[in-house]
Amino acid sequence: MYSVDLGGGAMLRPLEPWQAEEFLAHMDRARDTVDPWIPWASISTDLESARATLQRYADKQAADKGRIYGIWLDGTLVGGTMFVTFDVDSGIAEVGCWLEPAGTGRGLITAAVRLLIDWAFRVRGLHRIEWHCRPDNKASSNVARRAGLKLEATLRESYPWKGVRHDTEIWAVLAPEWS
Ligand SMILES: CC(C)(COP(=O)(O)OP(=O)(O)OC[C@H]1O[C@@H](n2cnc3c(N)ncnc32)[C@H](O)[C@@H]1OP(=O)(O)O)[C@@H](O)C(=O)NCCC(=O)NCCS
């Protein structure tokens, strides 16, 4: 299995349906801190739904419409990053991410996101990479800023979550801006 060394004992590797049990155990550790921001942990609450989440990304990958990668820290799955969407025809993809508490504060997501963007631009020839987050999710927008994306717009009340409508910030970087 191939993997990318992120340094400090962290590895970035594909995350696949056969790893559903490990993914669910990680989601159980991540749920409290991820759930307030995105519906990621809440769509993987038991083995069946965790496997379905990973299968959905396996299907996206097979269709070249998205991909998901896990981050292992000292052998434990602590988070990951994904192409939520990946559209070769328009040259546009959206990147997303999450971490459980044990993985935060080390620069792992910033490093992993840079790798994904670099691959999308240099290897796949995409033109625009987006990052969507709530304005009050400062940890998320800090990643976007550190990775070199610019804030372009705020979509008002575009994200209904747990009975409340939130704004969505759209961050993006274009291929000619990437170095
Ligand atoms: C968004 C999220 C993944 C960011 O986690 P994070 O640990 O802040 O991000 P990184 O892995 O890039 O690490 C950056 C932190 O490590 C620190 N750091 C340490 N070494 C670093 C390095 N070599 N390079 C960059 N940052 C480093 C940074 O200073 C920063 O900490 P600070 O914010 O306290 O200054 C996390 O908050 C999370 O999972 N949130 C819930 C899910 C979510 O919101 N996902 C995004 C939806 S849009």
Side-chain angles (χ1 to χ4, degrees), residues 95-97 113 129-133 140-141 143-144 149 169-171:
V95 173
C97 74
V113 161
I129 305 296
E130 294 184 356
W131 181 273
H132 299 186
C133 65
S140 178
S141 54
V143 172
L149 285 75
E169 285 184 356
I170 309 293
W171 294 69

Side-chain angles (χ1 to χ4, degrees), residues 112-162:
V113 161
R114 282 199 182 116
L115 282 168
L116 262 66
I117 296 175
D118 204 62
W119 180 81
F121 283 152
R122 292 186 204 278
V123 179
R124 300 304 309 278
L126 266 61
H127 185 73
R128 172 184 168 87
I129 305 296
E130 294 184 356
W131 181 273
H132 299 186
C133 65
R134 275 171 44 182
D136 54 345
N137 192 349
K138 293 300 174 198
S140 178
S141 54
N142 284 343
V143 172
R145 189 179 299 103
R146 265 193 304 266
L149 285 75
K150 291 181 186 141
L151 178 61
E152 291 188 339
T154 302
L155 310 183
R156 295 177 304 149
E157 300 189 2
S158 56
Y159 173 52
W161 178 229
K162 298 193 171 178

Side-chain angles (χ1 to χ4, degrees), residues 4-116:
V4 178
D5 191 346
L6 296 177
M11 308 295 285
L12 182 75
R13 295 204 296 260
L15 182 56
E16 299 174 351
W18 65 270
Q19 292 155 306
E21 212 164 315
E22 189 180 9
F23 178 59
L24 176 62
H26 155 59
M27 276 296 112
D28 289 343
R29 296 188 296 271
R31 191 160 288 108
D32 285 352
T33 48
V34 168
D35 244 9
W37 303 108
I38 48 170
W40 183 240
S42 63
I43 58 172
S44 304
T45 51
D46 55 22
L47 195 52
E48 192 183 348
S49 56
R51 188 173 292 116
T53 299
L54 297 183
Q55 187 60 51
R56 204 162 50 252
Y57 271 89
D59 293 344
K60 281 192 192 201
Q61 173 152 346
D64 203 20
K65 295 287 184 196
R67 286 158 201 272
I68 190 166
Y69 302 91
I71 296 173
W72 280 260
L73 181 62
D74 299 326
T76 300
L77 180 62
V78 295
T81 181
M82 66 280 222
F83 289 110
V84 182
T85 59
F86 195 90
D87 186 341
V88 175
D89 292 340
S90 65
I92 301 173
E94 180 195 340
V95 173
C97 74
W98 80 96
L99 282 173
E100 67 177 61
T104 58
R106 299 164 184 264
L108 298 180
I109 288 295
T110 302
V113 161
R114 282 199 182 116
L115 282 168
L116 262 66

